[in-house]
Amino acid sequence: MSDEITEGQGLTGGDSQAPRSTPAGEPVGPEVRRVPPTERGAVAAPVPVPPRPEKKADGLRRTAAAEESDTNIWRYSRRDFFAKLGWLSVFSFLGVMLIGTLRYMFPRVLFEPSPIFRAGFPEEYLPGTVSTKWMKDFRVWVVREGNRIYALSGICTHLGCTPRWLEKEDKFKCPCHGSGFYRTGVNFEGPAPRALERVKISRAEDGTILIDKSIKFLYENGGWDNPQSYLSV
Amino acid sequence: MPLADLKKSVTKSPVWKSVFRHDYKDTERNRYLQILSNIWLHLHPTKISRHAVEVRYTWGMGGISFFIFLVLTVTGVVLMFYYRPTDQYAYYDMKYLMNDVPFGAFIRNMHRWAAHAMVITVWLHMLRVFMTGSYKPPREFNWVIGVILLVLTLLLSFTGYLLPWDQLAIWAVTVGTNMARATPLLGHEGPLGPQIGMKPDNDVRFLLLGGTQVGPPALLRFYVLHCVFLPVAIGIFMIVHFWRIRKDGGISGPTGKV
């Protein structure tokens, strides 16, 4: 690296304020620049350092010469360009780290029971019955009305407790705050604001019932008319 | 007088002088030095106004809240020697603490009651500040810090509630976190949530629980929040809170009294 600076390089040139020394070890003050010797053995004459140009209206520094010859192609001095590049890299790094940290909090694998389960054959459910058979393991009631079977999610729409099926009273009753639901799932008493949710029910290839709890059908959205929300026997 | 010489040699020794940095005489200067030259007392202002000790005005409720927080920090750290935040151990470690660890029940009950007490005292402190108008300029910034501290206190209470891992804890947190489903945009049952692709397994509730239901990942997550994240956050905000009290002219008092 040559420590010599020629005039007229770049738009603003370097103007380091730190005292430097030439390879020969002669100290070079901030007020003095070295020009290359024109001949072998010639002594370099000291030249005054031009002052750092003022910021223009667009917030950039340009020398008078640059102002004159400015074709609007070079809007940035090299210094401004590298400063912007530096900050851009810092904030890019921080941004990517933030996104990565946020993504880290969403695991890929869940050690939870699968929301999809097989619930036997349709013939096991008699018309007009509410089966609590899958309640303990999967929190779902299987209800058969006539030739239609649907699966009701056992999650109270008030605050998520588990209602109980009361056979004698022909209703689902939540022990937490007293919400009551008809066997269809429609709410009729207590604080529950919505009907119980039905979940996707279908038939597997071997004829068994397949229930998928991750797909819900809401009464208020007309979801109970969706053919995926019931099974015709 | 060999005794006087001995006394002199002791009291002039560097060790003595580094412990007792000023003499005992009750002068204005020594009163200042008493406060300024002591690592604990220097946190206090060197001078307080007469009304600052009027308990009827402040109820001492902020200081009581801070004291209870210190109790909770100490007892909480002691509990960490026995408690393991996994579904396999959590409940049984709590039972072990309550039945077999020497003074385990005492420490756990201290932590439990102090937790309840801190929520109450923080609310009462807020009530006092409101009633005495101590939120008015120049103290309005500190009111905002105080609101943040209240939220952090409630979050500490909520995250700690899950750790015993009994039915009460699991259902309380189930109900509590179900509210996060209804978050606008970020919850899978909130307004505009489903429309932008929020599902039970990618919304803000999932972020909180580490799963779609309250399970072992939720226990671990709440444990980390309860023991590391939230205490550090509340500590930082407490530092700012106390510093602002000093900057805003010391403890609040009746208008016109000095």
Side-chain angles (χ1 to χ4, degrees), chain A:
Chain A
M1 278 294 290
S2 165
D3 206 29
E4 296 161 347
I5 295 167
T6 52
E7 282 183 300
Q9 269 193 353
L11 292 170
T12 57
D15 59 346
S16 167
Q17 297 294 312
R20 295 167 298 131
S21 58
T22 58
E26 308 158 27
V28 178
E31 289 82 20
V32 179
R33 287 215 189 163
R34 298 190 70 83
V35 289
T38 47
E39 297 167 27
R40 183 188 291 260
V43 179
V47 263
V49 178
R52 193 171 181 203
E54 288 302 307
K55 278 193 176 181
K56 299 292 179 284
D58 56 4
L60 303 174
R61 299 178 192 277
R62 280 188 298 282
T63 58
E67 277 287 272
E68 276 179 37
S69 65
D70 187 9
T71 55
N72 278 350
I73 297 173
W74 304 108
R75 297 307 310 171
Y76 294 118
S77 69
R78 187 186 291 135
R79 174 191 297 261
D80 286 331
F81 174 74
F82 278 119
K84 291 246 184 329
L85 196 69
W87 283 116
L88 183 73
S89 58
V90 166
F91 283 109
S92 307
F93 171 76
L94 291 175
V96 169
M97 289 301 285
L98 183 73
I99 292 165
T101 307
L102 198 64
R103 181 62 187 87
Y104 172 82
M105 300 309 286
F106 289 84
R108 281 203 182 87
V109 178
L110 294 182
F111 299 89
E112 294 175 0
S114 167
I116 303 170
F117 68 99
R118 289 169 189 269
F121 289 93
E123 293 76 37
E124 296 172 29
Y125 303 98
L126 301 173
T129 57
V130 174
S131 169
T132 57
K133 186 177 178 181
W134 307 103
M135 202 55 206
K136 189 171 177 295
D137 291 336
F138 299 104
R139 222 175 156 185
V140 163
W141 293 288
V142 179
V143 186
R144 178 163 174 177
E145 286 183 335
N147 289 333
R148 184 173 277 205
I149 298 177
Y150 52 87
L152 272 180
S153 166
I155 299 172
C156 181
T157 52
H158 176 226
L159 286 176
C161 293
T162 310
R164 286 175 300 193
W165 169 244
L166 304 179
E167 184 78 47
K168 286 197 175 65
E169 299 177 50
D170 195 30
K171 69 177 181 186
F172 300 104
K173 186 72 175 167
C174 184
C176 286
H177 308 96
S179 300
F181 307 87
Y182 297 123
R183 67 165 55 211
T184 56
V186 173
N187 51 312
F188 68 95
E189 64 180 354
R194 303 183 291 115
L196 291 172
E197 290 160 348
R198 295 187 184 181
V199 296
K200 186 183 169 187
I201 186 166
S202 58
R203 295 192 74 154
E205 284 139 18
D206 59 358
T208 54
I209 296 176
L210 209 58
I211 293 175
D212 183 352
K213 290 193 295 172
S214 65
I215 298 171
K216 293 172 177 175
F217 298 97
L218 308 190
Y219 171 68
E220 59 272 26
N221 296 352
W224 291 3
D225 300 328
N226 190 316
Q228 289 188 323
S229 72
Y230 59 86
L231 209 60
S232 298
V233 185

Side-chain angles (χ1 to χ4, degrees), chain B:
Chain B
M1 279 291 283
L3 199 66
D5 286 345
L6 183 69
K7 185 186 169 190
K8 195 174 172 182
S9 67
V10 168
T11 53
K12 296 289 178 204
S13 71
V15 174
W16 181 275
K17 279 165 75 180
S18 55
V19 176
F20 304 101
R21 284 167 186 262
H22 55 86
D23 55 11
Y24 188 67
K25 220 163 116 194
D26 187 6
T27 62
E28 182 93 355
R29 182 171 182 274
N30 281 350
R31 284 181 166 208
Y32 278 128
L33 286 172
Q34 227 177 349
I35 304 293
L36 284 174
S37 61
N38 182 298
I39 179 81
W40 298 113
L41 297 182
H42 93 277
L43 297 170
H44 289 279
T46 48
K47 250 182 165 177
I48 56 169
S49 53
R50 227 170 255 288
H51 68 70
V53 289
E54 240 184 66
V55 175
R56 279 176 302 172
Y57 190 81
T58 63
W59 303 344
M61 214 36 91
I64 291 170
S65 299
F66 180 53
F67 173 73
I68 293 174
F69 174 76
L70 294 180
V71 169
L72 283 162
T73 306
V74 173
T75 54
V77 168
V78 172
L79 289 172
M80 284 168 82
F81 279 97
Y82 281 99
Y83 177 83
R84 290 165 290 183
T86 68
D87 65 327
Q88 193 181 355
Y89 291 125
Y91 177 75
Y92 297 102
D93 285 350
M94 183 270 290
K95 282 300 200 192
Y96 181 46
L97 271 161
M98 289 304 279
N99 295 307
D100 291 316
V101 177
F103 298 107
F106 181 70
I107 294 291
R108 178 165 180 264
N109 285 331
M110 256 184 101
H111 195 75
R112 224 188 132 81
W113 288 108
H116 290 311
M118 185 176 167
V119 171
I120 294 166
T121 56
V122 166
W123 278 114
L124 285 175
H125 174 60
M126 190 186 202
L127 175 74
R128 190 282 295 177
V129 169
F130 180 74
M131 288 303 189
T132 56
S134 303
Y135 56 86
K136 291 175 183 174
R139 301 176 190 269
E140 70 272 46
F141 180 79
N142 219 9
W143 170 268
V144 176
I145 300 289
V147 171
I148 293 169
L149 285 170
L150 171 70
V151 171
L152 287 170
T153 304
L154 297 177
L155 284 173
L156 277 161
S157 174
F158 184 65
T159 50
Y161 202 20
L162 182 64
L163 304 186
W165 206 234
D166 53 7
Q167 284 294 314
L168 181 71
I170 292 169
W171 285 106
V173 170
T174 297
V175 169
T177 51
N178 276 346
M179 289 188 242
R181 296 167 182 246
T183 313
L185 291 170
L186 298 178
H188 72 274
E189 287 175 6
L192 299 176
Q195 286 84 338
I196 61 166
M198 287 298 167
K199 293 190 201 64
D201 61 357
N202 66 3
D203 69 343
V204 70
R205 177 173 166 273
F206 184 82
L207 172 72
L208 194 63
L209 294 180
T212 60
Q213 55 203 21
V214 178
L219 176 63
L220 186 57
R221 239 163 237 222
F222 273 47
Y223 177 76
V224 173
L225 285 172
H226 186 76
C227 299
V228 181
F229 191 84
L230 292 169
V232 167
I234 204 171
I236 289 167
F237 278 100
M238 268 192 243
I239 290 167
V240 178
H241 199 61
F242 301 160
W243 174 75
R244 278 313 313 179
I245 294 170
R246 186 72 56 83
K247 290 285 149 190
D248 294 336
I251 198 160
S252 177
T255 322
K257 282 199 184 178
V258 183

